[in-house]
Amino acid sequence: MSGPEARERIETFFAATNWRKELEALRAILLDCGLSEDFKWRSPCYTVNDGNVATLWGFKEDFALSFFKGVLLTDRNKMLVAPGDNSRSVRMARFVSLKEVVEREDALRSFILEAMENEKAGLKVDLGDGELDYPAELTAAFEADPKLQRAFEALTPGRRRGYLLTFLQARKPETRTARIEKHASRILEGKGLHDRP
């Protein structure tokens, strides 16, 4: 999203966060490095040549600068962390104070400039196969509804992985079945777990 609507949402984001001055300091660094500002995924997103480079997040306990292809960045001091156990590409720098942002500004600028160059060069993250095994309940659902299987297999790899992780996290077969049934209509619409309705 760009234009006046994006501007309004960006300003609303900064006004609503508990980390306003801290995130605005990160924003200033990103913009000073030459990135364009947009609004995607409920957060300010920073791009170069229309390619996603970084985004800002305000959490309850901390705030973060997240790099979409963070695994490609040179991180000798291990400043970047994966946002979750199943994150294969994104890496983020997490903070709890403005002082930390100021102290790490040189390193952040280095990450941002490297991420911009990677994006301009068209570098991609090699995610390997990364496919998870289908739970038996999903295979059964596919046998009962081949249209569901075709729709699932037509999803992007990331959307398939998101659903598979959700299904596989359930310990009980009946919970896995319930989750599959709950999300079947979204799968048939070609939508991922976090896509807007």
Side-chain angles (χ1 to χ4, degrees), residues 13-159:
F13 170 88
F14 284 107
T17 181
N18 294 332
W19 302 100
R20 183 173 186 152
K21 64 183 175 197
E22 294 86 354
L23 287 170
E24 284 182 344
L26 288 172
R27 176 191 201 186
I29 295 168
L30 289 158
L31 294 174
D32 188 56
C33 287
L35 288 166
S36 298
E37 188 175 52
D38 207 338
F39 192 83
K40 303 177 184 182
W41 304 287
R42 299 181 209 146
S43 183
C45 180
Y46 299 86
T47 64
V48 65
N49 297 345
D50 294 324
N52 298 324
V53 173
T55 189
L56 296 175
W57 297 103
F59 304 112
K60 186 176 180 182
E61 302 292 327
D62 62 2
F63 59 100
L65 169 60
S66 177
F67 295 95
F68 287 92
K69 298 176 184 174
V71 294
L72 298 178
L73 298 176
T74 305
D75 184 17
R76 290 181 186 87
N77 295 322
K78 305 296 181 209
M79 187 171 142
L80 302 176
V81 297
D85 293 339
N86 297 304
S87 299
R88 299 188 297 160
S89 180
V90 173
R91 293 296 178 267
M92 57 177 42
R94 299 185 86 121
F95 306 92
V96 294
S97 71
L98 181 57
K99 181 180 177 208
E100 283 182 302
V101 173
V102 172
E103 290 172 351
R104 298 183 191 176
E105 182 173 347
D106 290 343
L108 292 174
R109 285 182 181 276
S110 178
F111 289 139
I112 294 164
L113 294 173
E114 183 181 0
M116 290 172 69
E117 289 306 312
N118 290 347
E119 194 60 35
K120 289 176 186 175
L123 296 185
K124 304 277 185 206
V125 175
D126 180 9
L127 299 175
D129 178 349
E131 281 293 326
L132 301 167
D133 292 332
Y134 290 9
E137 297 77 13
L138 185 59
T139 303
F142 288 164
E143 288 172 5
D145 185 355
K147 188 176 174 184
L148 179 64
Q149 181 174 4
R150 285 192 301 275
F152 187 82
E153 291 173 354
L155 294 172
T156 63
R159 287 184 173 118

